[in-house]
Amino acid sequence: MGEFITLLLLLGVVGAVVGAATNYMAIKMLFRPYKPIYFKKWKLPLTPGLIPKRRGDLAIQLGKTVTDYLLTPDTIKKKFLSTEVRASVLTFAQDKVKQEIFTDEKTINDWLHLAGIQTLPQTVEGKVDEIIHSQLMSVKNTLSSKAIREILPTDLEPVLDRKVDEAVVQILQKGEDYFLSQEGAITIKNMLDDFLSTKGSFGGMIQMFLGDSTSLVDKVQRELVKFLQAPGTAALLQRIFISEWEKIKNRPAMDFMNDVNFDTIEYNIQSYAKNALAIESRLDKTINDYWPQGIQWVTVDLLPKVMEKLFIVAENKIEDVLKRLNLAEVVREQVDSFPIAKLEELVLGIISKELKLITWLGGIIGGLVGVIQAIVVLLTN
């Protein structure tokens, strides 16, 4: 009986050790050895471990699994392009627009500074000065190089030509009215007195025969009026005026502007333009100041339409994007390049308790097999 107990314990312990060791070795050989082991020219069997040996096949299968079952176009559409996601993205975009763009805390100047534009007012004012200077130089060049006739609009020259005739009529009429007035009579008398006084004794003799200059005023008035009313006078003035007007039209406009200080004009125009623009004060206002309805239009009208278009485009492009990404190849490369030791540490760290149980289970089964063997030996003997 003592021999049976000894045999029972011996076979039970040996079986338990063998069973536990076998399971432990089986678990370890999933990953180890990492590389094949050679004895001279022969590679030892079961080297490398199962996972290092079949890592290429595992990587390919994982890649196919990811692309065929995990990250399919339908899966992405359901998860990332669902109605809930669209609503969340739209709400997020609307909140960001309100907080970041249509805010009273940031002026247009602040936005420009964020974009790296520090000297916009000075740049704009400099450009304004350049444009005004360039335009004024162009005007001066035109006035200097072209005759007035070339500068006048084609429909304005005939109008001015007609105004010459009208001016002759107006001058003759005004002259007639003046000489017939009391002021005109006084002027004629003064002129006669001055004329007679300069003629010495001859003037005195005329006064003796004709009397005082007052008696001559009426006669001179009548003659002057007759002269002004004569058709030849109007024709003479028209010829003179038209001749002079033609001469004026053939001369450069700058001939009549020699006394004009263009530098002062340029400075005044530039100052007026910059004061009217008021770039600094305009940039110190917010977007809301210039566009108070903007936030309503952007958040209610624009963003929903933009988001809808973007999601439609994304939905149509998902399959093409996934093909271009070639996720199966990406997964295969990542698995192939992943260190086996790190993979072993990761897997064993997750299922360490279960692996210990498997090891103990192997020992228990081995021990039971040893006990059964002892019983069988006893019975057969």
Side-chain angles (χ1 to χ4, degrees):
M1 189 66 181
E3 292 180 357
F4 171 71
I5 294 175
T6 301
L7 179 64
L8 185 68
L9 291 174
L10 178 62
L11 292 178
V13 170
V14 171
V17 171
V18 171
T22 301
N23 281 8
Y24 179 80
M25 288 294 295
I27 292 170
K28 285 296 183 181
M29 289 180 67
L30 288 172
F31 296 95
R32 297 172 183 253
Y34 299 146
K35 297 179 180 180
I37 299 174
Y38 290 89
F39 179 73
K40 293 184 179 182
K41 295 182 179 181
W42 295 277
K43 185 180 76 168
L44 296 182
L46 301 179
T47 63
L50 178 63
I51 290 179
K53 182 178 181 179
R54 303 299 298 273
R55 181 166 65 170
D57 296 335
L58 177 64
I60 293 173
Q61 290 303 318
L62 282 176
K64 289 182 177 179
T65 301
V66 169
T67 55
D68 294 343
Y69 301 102
L70 299 180
L71 291 179
T72 64
D74 291 337
T75 302
I76 293 177
K77 289 178 184 178
K78 290 178 182 178
K79 295 296 182 181
F80 298 102
L81 301 179
S82 64
T83 304
E84 294 78 9
V85 171
R86 297 186 185 201
S88 299
V89 171
L90 177 60
T91 302
F92 175 80
Q94 290 171 331
D95 292 340
K96 280 299 179 182
V97 166
K98 293 176 183 178
Q99 296 171 7
E100 301 296 336
I101 298 178
F102 292 94
T103 174
D104 292 331
E105 297 179 359
K106 286 184 180 180
T107 64
I108 296 177
N109 233 340
D110 296 332
W111 286 109
L112 292 174
H113 290 165
L114 286 175
I117 304 173
Q118 306 292 336
T119 59
L120 181 63
Q122 294 79 3
T123 302
V124 171
E125 290 179 354
K127 289 294 182 182
V128 169
D129 288 344
E130 290 179 10
I131 292 171
I132 292 174
H133 175 75
S134 174
Q135 293 298 316
L136 198 57
M137 288 300 101
S138 177
V139 170
K140 287 178 65 178
N141 182 61
T142 301
L143 295 176
S144 301
S145 60
K146 292 186 178 182
I148 293 176
R149 186 190 304 276
E150 299 177 80
I151 299 173
L152 288 175
T154 54
D155 57 342
L156 179 59
E157 186 175 353
V159 175
L160 295 178
D161 290 341
R162 290 194 297 270
K163 292 297 181 181
V164 171
D165 296 335
E166 294 176 9
V168 170
V169 175
Q170 289 290 326
I171 289 172
L172 292 174
Q173 184 61 49
K174 292 297 181 181
E176 184 179 342
D177 293 340
Y178 177 75
F179 286 123
L180 289 175
S181 67
Q182 182 64 33
E183 184 181 357
I186 294 172
T187 301
I188 294 171
K189 181 181 182 303
N190 293 333
M191 292 174 66
L192 288 173
D193 289 339
D194 293 340
F195 174 75
L196 294 174
S197 64
T198 59
K199 299 304 178 180
S201 58
F202 177 73
M205 184 175 64
I206 292 175
Q207 284 181 330
M208 183 176 62
F209 283 105
L210 299 177
D212 187 63
S213 62
T214 304
S215 61
L216 297 174
V217 170
D218 291 337
K219 295 178 181 179
V220 174
Q221 277 183 322
R222 287 193 299 272
E223 294 302 322
L224 285 174
V225 170
K226 286 181 182 180
F227 175 77
L228 293 175
Q229 291 177 346
T233 304
L236 175 63
L237 286 178
Q238 283 180 340
R239 286 195 302 271
I240 294 173
F241 275 46
I242 291 173
S243 175
E244 293 301 318
W245 172 234
E246 292 297 326
K247 292 178 182 179
I248 289 172
K249 289 193 294 183
N250 291 326
R251 292 175 61 183
M254 190 60 74
D255 290 354
F256 303 95
M257 306 178 71
N258 292 327
D259 296 331
V260 177
N261 191 334
F262 283 95
D263 292 336
T264 302
I265 293 175
E266 179 180 339
Y267 174 78
N268 290 335
I269 294 175
Q270 290 173 340
S271 299
Y272 174 80
K274 287 184 282 191
N275 290 333
L277 288 174
I279 299 297
E280 285 283 0
S281 60
R282 293 179 189 274
L283 293 180
D284 282 335
K285 295 182 179 180
T286 64
I287 296 177
N288 284 328
D289 293 329
Y290 290 106
W291 194 18
Q293 301 83 14
I295 187 171
Q296 179 72 14
W297 182 78
V298 171
T299 56
V300 177
D301 297 331
L302 180 63
L303 277 180
K305 295 177 181 178
V306 171
M307 290 299 168
E308 184 64 25
K309 290 288 185 183
L310 290 177
F311 277 109
I312 291 174
V313 172
E315 189 172 350
N316 293 333
K317 293 291 184 180
I318 282 178
E319 189 169 352
D320 183 58
V321 170
L322 290 178
K323 287 181 180 179
R324 291 177 180 274
L325 289 176
N326 196 4
L327 292 178
E329 182 63 19
V330 173
V331 173
R332 187 194 66 76
E333 291 177 355
Q334 292 301 312
V335 173
D336 273 345
S337 62
F338 199 79
I340 294 296
K342 190 67 178 178
L343 180 62
E344 179 185 14
E345 179 184 347
L346 182 64
V347 172
L348 295 181
I350 294 173
I351 59 173
S352 59
K353 291 182 179 179
E354 288 77 6
L355 294 179
K356 288 181 180 178
L357 288 176
I358 291 173
T359 302
W360 282 105
L361 181 61
I364 292 171
I365 293 175
L368 289 175
V369 170
V371 170
I372 292 172
Q373 284 178 337
I375 295 173
V376 170
V377 170
L378 176 66
L379 293 175
T380 56
N381 290 331

